[in-house]
């Protein structure tokens, strides 16, 4: 795979992640607004309030579980009694933090791998220059000599 293709794939993947994170945030905010107004929490209500698709809500495990939980809680709870969403919010945020930590570890490993490849390519190029009898200018800093 070429470098430019890898960059395009990476850029598209990042854009999709950001789009999904924004939709998730919008759905979470919609749920909070519905709760504040005392409206029933349903997939249709969240979909309308957040301007996201039903498919997104159904295919997002955390949101789906939260909506189903709040929907069933709302049916059991009298309308004059406030719904306790603190525990649900804590659980959701804890899961999101765990997912973000996992993504961070993966990205960090990808960066380390890329750096390792770059060091290897740099060493190969220096060896090739030396083989051809070309010596870099003394003004050029070398990672090998600065470490």
């Amino acid at each position: 795979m070429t470098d430019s293709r890898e960059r395009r794939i990476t850029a598209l993947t990042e854009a999709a992640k950001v789009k999904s994170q924004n939709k998730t945030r919008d759905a979470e905010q919609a749920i909070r607004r519905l709760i504040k107004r005392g409206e029933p929490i349903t997939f249709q209500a969240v979909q309308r309030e957040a301007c996201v698709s039903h498919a997104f809500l159904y295919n997002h495990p955390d949101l789906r579980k939260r909506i189903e939980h709040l929907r069933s809680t709302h049916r059991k709870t009298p309308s004059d009694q406030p719904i306790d969403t603190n525990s649900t919010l804590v659980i959701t945020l804890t899961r999101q933090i765990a997912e973000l930590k996992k993504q961070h570890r993966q990205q960090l490993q990808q960066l380390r791998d890329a750096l390792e490849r770059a060091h290897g390519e740099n060493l190969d190029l220096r060896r090739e220059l030396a083989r051809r009898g070309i010596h870099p200018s003394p003004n050029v800093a070398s990672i090998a000599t600065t470490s």
Side-chain angles (χ1 to χ4, degrees):
M1 217 180 319
T2 64
D3 242 6
S4 63
R5 181 181 169 144
E6 287 179 19
R7 282 194 302 270
R8 286 194 310 262
I9 290 171
T10 302
L12 288 173
T13 303
E14 265 315 299
K17 279 183 195 176
V18 169
K19 185 177 180 181
S20 178
Q21 289 169 345
N22 288 340
K23 284 183 176 185
T24 302
R25 181 200 63 224
D26 292 345
E28 288 286 343
Q29 290 173 350
I31 291 169
R32 283 192 220 106
R33 287 192 302 269
L34 290 169
I35 290 170
K36 260 187 182 175
R37 293 194 307 249
E39 295 181 25
I41 308 301
T42 63
F43 284 95
Q44 291 79 15
V46 174
Q47 178 249 332
R48 276 191 311 269
E49 186 77 18
C51 297
V52 297
S53 69
H54 281 87
F56 177 79
L57 296 174
Y58 280 106
N59 292 328
H60 194 289
D62 292 336
L63 285 174
R64 182 177 184 162
K65 186 182 274 188
R66 183 158 184 228
I67 292 168
E68 288 171 345
H69 172 75
L70 290 171
R71 180 175 60 186
S72 66
T73 303
H74 190 269
R75 287 182 185 151
K76 296 175 192 172
T77 308
S79 60
D80 59 339
Q81 202 174 43
I83 299 172
D84 179 26
T85 60
N86 287 338
S87 61
T88 312
L89 186 59
V90 168
I91 290 168
T92 302
L93 292 174
T94 302
R95 286 186 187 138
Q96 287 178 353
I97 288 171
E99 181 62 29
L100 289 171
K101 283 182 178 180
K102 180 181 171 185
Q103 287 176 5
H104 179 260
R105 282 191 302 274
Q106 290 171 343
Q107 290 170 347
L108 192 59
Q109 187 58 48
Q110 289 171 348
L111 288 172
R112 286 181 177 143
D113 294 345
L115 181 61
E116 188 176 316
R117 284 192 306 274
H119 280 304
E121 290 173 12
N122 190 355
L123 182 60
D124 290 344
L125 291 170
R126 289 184 174 279
R127 287 180 180 157
E128 180 63 22
L129 286 173
R131 187 183 67 75
R132 292 183 182 191
I134 302 170
H135 299 288
S137 165
N139 296 335
V140 175
S142 168
I143 293 175
T145 60
T146 59
S147 297

